Amino acid sequence: MMRPSLPGREYWLAQGFRGVEHPRNYEALARKLATPGSTVKVVAFGGSITQGMSDSFKRTWAHEAVGWLQEAFPSVKVTLTNLARDATDVGPAAMCWYQLMPPDTDLVLVDYSLGGCGKLQCAGIATALVGHYESFLRRAMRRAPGAAFLLLENFYFAEVTVRKWNNATASVTRYTEANPYYQTGGDMHEIFARRYRLPMVSTREGFYDLMYNDTAIMQELGVKRADIMVDDKHPNPRGHAILGRGIVAWGLRRLLREELRAWADGGRQPTPLQLPKPVSPLAAQEADADSYCAEGLALQRHVVDASVVGQGWRWKDSSNVAEACAAARAAKQPVNCDKWGAYNQGYGKSLELVVNTQRIQGAAGVLEQRRLVLFFDRATARNFRVGSSALAPAAWVQCVAGCSCEAFELGGEEGFYPSETAYGSTLVSQHPQCRVRLTIRDKGPAGNDYFKVNGVAVVPLNDTVNLTYLDRMAIDKEAMFLAAYKSWSASAAAEVHQAGLRGAAAELPAVQNVH
C-alpha cells in the first residue's frame, strides 16, 4: 500500500489513532481491497463537517479518506455514499438514517462526537446523545453485518472568555482559555469503540496542542490554524485534506496493513460478530429491532390530507443546500441533506398524522412498548421570531384515536440539545392506525407561531431489560444535571474571584461568554 503523502511526522499522525485488537470485519475489508475487480462500498454518517459546509457535495474528510483508499488500492473500485446532514446530532441517525445504508456496505465512517455535544451533553454514559450513539452503532451493525467501522472524534476548538474581578485595578479582567480537553463526546464513544471492537481516530488527540498555538502548528504541519479552518469547528478544503489523508488515512493504513500481513501469514482465527449487551442503560432499554421511520419526503404518506388542506399546511425544504439535494435526487444519487417537511404559521393550527405503532420489523418475540418520535425543524423559525425571542417553535402533540400516549410539548424552549433536526418523544400503545395531532402552541409574547414538522418514527423498547440500581443512579444523575442546566442562564456562570465578588456583581450580571 502507498503511504499517505502528508506534512507531519509519523509521531503526530499516530497521536489520533485509537486501535483495538482484532477490529470488527477488517480482515474481510482488507481481503476485498486486495482482490482486483472488487467494488468496496463506503458510507459516511455525521454532521456538517462530514456533509460539507454550504454545499453538501464538496470534498470533505470522508471524500479525502476514500480518495486515499482508491489510490492505495487502484485495482478495485471504491465508492462513497455520504449520508451526513448538517446541524444534526446522532438521534435521527439512530432512529432513521441508518436504514439508508446499503446492507452490503464494506466500511462505515462515523462522525458524531461534535454535533450536540458542545456543553457536556455527551459526558456521561446515561446522557441521551450517548445512548443514541450506541443505539446507532448497534442498528448500523445489524443493518450491515459485514461492514468494518471507523469512528471519528471531532472537536470544537473554541476559546472560552473568563471574566474576573481585579481588586488592584477595580475593574474586570478578561482571560481567554482553550475549550476544555474533556469537552467532547469522544471519551464516552471510545468506551463503545472498545466494547464493539471498532477502531477510532481523534482530531482532539492530533490537533489539541496545535490549534491554540500557531508556532506549534507551523512547526508540525507548515500551516497556521487560519490556513486550515473556516471557524472553530469546520475545516476548509485544505483542512479536510489534512484530516482525511492524514490521521484518518494513517489509521486505515495501519489497520489494513496488519490484516494483510496476518492474511499473508495464513489468516486469523474467526472472531465473533454477535453483539454484546449494551453499555448505556438508555441503549439497553431499546430493543434489538429496527425502528419505523418516515422522515422528509416519506412523511407525506402519513399526514391526513384533510388537515393539510383545511389548516393550510404547505411542504418545503429548508436545507441550505436544497438545490444541490434536489439535483442529486434527480440524478438517482443517494442523499440525506434535505430537510423536507410540512410547515404552517399561526397559533392553534393543527396537523394530523396516522402511523402504525404495532408492526416492527425484525423484533424477536413480542415487544409491548413503543416510543413515538416526532421530528421538527428548530432553525426554520428563526425568520419568524417575535421580538428578541430565543424560544424554539412549539407544538402540543397528543394521540387522538386508535392508540393512547401521554401528550407532550414538542420544542418550545431553547434547547440543551441544539440540533436543527430536533425531536421529542412519548410512550405509545400499539395500534395499526394510531392517529396523532400536532397543534402549534402559543408560548406567550416571547414565543413564535411558526412550526415545521419533518418526520415521525416508532422505536421498539425492550420489555425485559433489568436495570440495576447503578443504571438508575446514572440515569438520575444526568436528569439532575439537565434540570440544573435549564435553571441557569443561557451562558455559563461567570467565574468571579471570591474576594471581589461584591465589587464585580454590578458589572458581571451572569456572564461567561463562549465563542
Side-chain angles (χ1 to χ4, degrees):
M1 289 186 292
M2 64 174 288
R3 296 173 61 87
S5 176
L6 280 172
R9 298 168 293 166
E10 189 84 1
Y11 166 81
W12 174 78
L13 292 169
Q15 292 307 298
F17 181 65
R18 294 291 178 266
V20 294
E21 293 296 327
H22 300 280
R24 181 185 178 91
N25 287 325
Y26 267 83
E27 181 180 10
L29 175 62
R31 291 188 181 225
K32 194 166 187 180
L33 284 165
T35 303
S38 298
T39 297
V40 175
K41 298 180 180 180
V42 182
V43 174
F45 288 93
S48 56
I49 293 176
T50 304
Q51 176 187 298
M53 209 175 168
S54 299
D55 183 348
S56 63
F57 307 110
K58 286 182 178 179
R59 290 180 65 85
T60 68
W61 68 272
H63 299 86
E64 297 292 349
V66 167
W68 176 86
L69 273 177
Q70 184 65 79
E71 294 168 14
F73 298 92
S75 61
V76 303
K77 180 181 180 181
V78 185
T79 66
L80 172 64
T81 299
N82 192 348
L83 297 178
R85 186 184 294 186
D86 70 297
T88 61
D89 60 44
V90 69
M95 294 178 274
C96 293
W97 302 336
Y98 77 94
Q99 297 176 1
L100 302 174
M101 176 173 57
D104 59 347
T105 295
D106 299 296
L107 174 63
V108 183
L109 305 175
V110 181
D111 157 37
Y112 280 118
S113 292
L114 184 59
C117 294
K119 294 181 180 177
L120 299 178
Q121 297 98 322
C122 303
I125 198 65
T127 60
L129 292 184
V130 170
H132 284 320
Y133 190 91
E134 184 175 15
S135 293
F136 165 75
L137 292 178
R138 294 179 68 86
R139 292 193 178 110
M141 285 185 278
R142 292 197 307 271
R143 172 76 177 175
F149 282 69
L150 184 67
L151 313 183
L152 173 65
E153 177 199 16
N154 272 311
F155 190 79
Y156 185 14
F157 294 103
E159 293 183 339
V160 181
T161 300
V162 180
R163 300 178 184 181
K164 289 186 177 180
W165 180 256
N166 189 322
N167 286 324
T169 62
S171 64
V172 173
T173 301
R174 297 170 181 263
Y175 302 89
T176 300
E177 300 290 343
N179 197 23
Y181 178 87
Y182 59 79
Q183 176 36 57
T184 174
D187 292 329
M188 289 294 106
H189 298 167
E190 192 172 350
I191 294 176
F192 305 138
R194 295 194 302 268
R195 179 65 166 159
Y196 297 103
R197 305 196 329 274
L198 309 177
M200 185 174 182
V201 291
S202 168
T203 62
R204 178 184 63 167
E205 302 302 330
F207 287 94
Y208 190 84
D209 292 325
L210 304 182
M211 282 294 188
Y212 299 101
N213 187 333
D214 266 353
T215 300
I217 198 172
M218 279 292 295
Q219 290 174 346
E220 189 63 58
L221 299 175
V223 296
K224 295 181 178 180
R225 171 174 169 155
D227 297 330
I228 61 174
M229 299 293 289
V230 175
D231 54 30
D232 294 332
K233 303 176 185 177
H234 302 90
N236 62 20
R238 191 174 183 181
H240 277 294
I242 290 177
L243 177 56
R245 291 178 175 267
I247 60 176
V248 175
W250 191 95
L252 286 170
R253 187 192 69 184
R254 175 163 172 169
L255 291 160
L256 294 169
R257 183 171 57 193
E258 186 172 328
E259 295 298 334
L260 291 172
R261 285 174 176 170
W263 185 19
D265 291 338
R268 296 184 185 275
Q269 291 293 324
T271 55
L273 295 179
Q274 183 176 357
L275 296 182
K277 291 177 62 176
V279 179
S280 168
L282 297 187
Q285 293 179 69
E286 296 193 356
D288 278 331
D290 286 326
S291 57
Y292 174 77
C293 180
E295 192 259 352
L297 293 170
L299 176 64
Q300 291 180 256
R301 64 175 178 265
H302 288 279
V303 299
V304 177
D305 289 338
S307 69
V308 173
V309 175
Q311 297 285 315
W313 291 81
R314 290 172 286 174
W315 295 92
K316 68 175 291 186
D317 183 0
S318 60
S319 173
N320 61 357
V321 290
E323 292 183 5
C325 288
R329 266 198 315 272
K332 307 297 184 183
Q333 297 175 9
V335 294
N336 186 36
C337 55
D338 53 348
K339 297 178 181 176
W340 192 262
Y343 78 101
N344 209 336
Q345 188 173 8
Y347 296 130
K349 296 289 183 69
S350 63
L351 178 71
E352 294 193 356
L353 306 94
V354 176
V355 62
N356 185 344
T357 60
Q358 180 173 301
R359 182 172 57 87
I360 292 293
Q361 297 292 334
V366 179
L367 302 173
E368 296 294 338
Q369 290 188 307
R370 304 280 190 269
R371 179 178 292 117
L372 175 70
V373 183
L374 285 175
F375 300 93
F376 70 101
D377 193 335
R378 185 194 306 278
T380 309
R382 288 175 181 164
N383 295 326
F384 294 86
R385 297 291 191 202
V386 175
S388 59
S389 169
L391 291 178
W396 189 246
V397 178
Q398 58 192 132
C399 297
V400 294
C403 56
S404 61
C405 67
E406 183 175 346
F408 70 100
E409 184 177 83
L410 184 64
E413 60 183 20
E414 190 62 20
F416 179 59
Y417 302 105
S419 172
E420 290 187 5
T421 303
Y423 45 91
S425 67
T426 187
L427 293 179
V428 65
S429 64
Q430 294 188 40
H431 197 278
Q433 294 286 313
C434 177
R435 195 176 185 107
V436 180
R437 180 181 298 144
L438 177 151
T439 305
I440 300 177
R441 197 170 195 188
D442 186 349
K443 296 292 289 184
N448 64 73
D449 63 349
Y450 182 91
F451 203 89
K452 177 165 170 281
V453 59
N454 294 76
V456 61
V458 181
V459 179
L461 303 181
N462 186 349
D463 297 342
T464 62
V465 64
N466 295 317
L467 295 181
T468 68
Y469 79 94
L470 291 173
D471 293 326
R472 298 191 184 280
M473 284 176 63
I475 294 171
D476 289 346
K477 183 189 77 168
E478 300 306 334
M480 290 168 61
F481 169 72
L482 180 56
Y485 179 93
K486 288 181 177 180
S487 71
W488 297 337
S489 167
S491 300
E495 293 185 15
V496 180
H497 193 277
Q498 186 64 34
L501 186 60
R502 285 197 301 268
E507 195 163 347
L508 297 178
V511 179
Q512 177 179 354
N513 295 326
V514 179
H515 298 292

